[in-house]
Amino acid sequence: MNPSVASRVRRIVAQATGRHAITWWTWLITAPIALTVMSGLQYVTGGPWAVLAVASVEHLAVGLLLLVGRALLRVTPAAARAATVFAVFAVIGVLRPVLFLAAGWLLGIPAAAGDLGGRMAINLVTTVAVFSLIAIGVQLVEDHLGVYRRLRAAREASARDAVRAADRAQALRDSALDAVSEGLERATVAAESHGIRPVDAANLLREVAEQVVRPASHRVFDTDAPAGEESDAGRVRRRDWIASVLGGMQAAPPLLLAVLFAVMVLPFGVWQYGLLFCLPRWCAAFS
């Protein structure tokens, strides 16, 4: 495998199985899908409300399984985390049709099993793919928020430092000019009142340079800058951050989308048309 491709695959797996592998977003984002296209409406007798009731109870049961999976991941060693995450996703996918039947039985609503094996295969692939994508998305959003917060903090700190530096330079320049002016004025008054020889004038200028000008310049360059103020960078306006997220979105690589689509469609195609019908087309698509 190409090293860059292998590195990208490792990064994707790490994002999908990291600390955001199972969050409340996993359950929340999949709720609309679970209550509509994956609700198993063709197997429920009783109308739309019956379908919604069965699908809702089923998704609540999936939420409980996610909580169990999250608790399991807390005690899973780092070396086995990736395999454990995908195993949890796969188990939830396989159990969804069973939870569907259990929800119908619990509510007293007729629910047919259909081709249970085919439904399990479809749910397994769909659940692993969708849960992994959600985990990757949550990780990317959090990374983006962290980068956005740090960049915003750096920009604000730079602006504050520029203002403080300008004020400090102006204050030091004013004090240095005042000190030099006072020293020159004292030397001038003394020279005008008593007169001064060329040698004494040279010595006077040397003394002014050493005792007035040099200390003033040292004060300008050696004075410590004041301590920085507390930054409010932790507070990020939601509107600005959402605009940054939307503005930074990019299309996924076409090959990755094609592979994902093929993987998710393959179980349904095999279930509906058989392996011999789907496999040649699937191989031709990637040849």
Side-chain angles (χ1 to χ4, degrees):
M1 182 181 292
N2 190 306
S4 62
V5 176
S7 175
R8 180 176 298 180
V9 171
R10 286 194 298 269
R11 184 170 65 252
I12 291 175
V13 171
Q15 291 173 333
T17 60
R19 61 193 184 92
H20 296 297
I22 299 177
T23 63
W24 70 282
W25 287 107
T26 309
W27 185 83
L28 186 63
I29 293 177
T30 54
I33 302 174
L35 301 182
T36 54
V37 295
M38 297 293 290
S39 63
L41 56 92
Q42 65 270 39
Y43 303 107
V44 177
T45 302
W49 290 110
V51 173
L52 181 62
V54 173
S56 298
V57 173
E58 176 193 21
H59 199 56
L60 288 175
V62 169
L64 294 177
L65 290 179
L66 287 172
L67 290 177
V68 173
R70 184 175 176 84
L72 177 62
L73 292 179
R74 290 180 177 178
V75 297
T76 299
R81 182 180 178 86
T84 304
V85 169
F86 288 127
V88 170
F89 291 169
V91 169
I92 293 176
V94 170
L95 291 180
R96 277 196 80 248
V98 179
L99 297 175
F100 170 83
L101 296 175
W105 173 81
L106 182 65
L107 298 174
I109 298 175
D115 184 351
L116 197 58
R119 293 177 61 193
M120 286 181 174
I122 293 173
N123 277 272
L124 185 152
V125 174
T126 303
T127 300
V128 172
V130 173
F131 283 5
S132 299
L133 290 176
I134 292 173
I136 293 172
V138 173
Q139 180 65 58
L140 291 176
V141 168
E142 184 183 75
D143 292 345
H144 180 274
L145 178 60
V147 172
Y148 180 80
R149 184 182 287 116
R150 289 192 292 272
L151 289 176
R152 184 171 178 267
R155 183 177 60 190
E156 293 177 354
S158 177
R160 287 194 302 271
D161 289 344
V163 173
R164 285 199 297 265
D167 294 341
R168 174 170 166 266
Q170 182 63 38
L172 292 176
R173 184 177 62 181
D174 293 342
S175 64
L177 288 177
D178 292 341
V180 172
S181 298
E182 291 176 1
L184 291 177
E185 185 176 355
R186 288 194 300 270
T188 303
V189 170
E192 288 179 350
S193 60
H194 304 292
I196 188 170
R197 296 180 303 170
V199 175
D200 295 333
N203 293 331
L204 177 62
L205 289 177
R206 187 180 300 108
E207 291 178 1
V208 169
E210 292 179 353
Q211 299 177 11
V212 178
V213 178
R214 182 178 296 173
S217 65
H218 287 174
R219 189 165 67 254
V220 170
F221 292 103
D222 294 342
T223 302
D224 293 333
E229 300 174 0
E230 291 295 328
S231 174
D232 62 348
R235 298 190 297 271
V236 177
R237 289 196 303 176
R238 188 178 300 273
R239 181 183 62 186
D240 295 340
W241 175 66
I242 291 177
S244 176
V245 171
L246 296 178
M249 284 185 175
Q250 297 180 358
L255 180 59
L256 180 60
L257 290 177
V259 171
L260 178 63
F261 178 78
V263 168
M264 294 184 68
V265 170
L266 183 61
F268 179 80
V270 172
W271 179 42
Q272 288 289 325
Y273 306 107
L275 180 62
L276 295 179
F277 180 86
C278 296
L279 190 58
R281 290 161 176 78
W282 196 78
C283 294
F286 293 97
S287 61

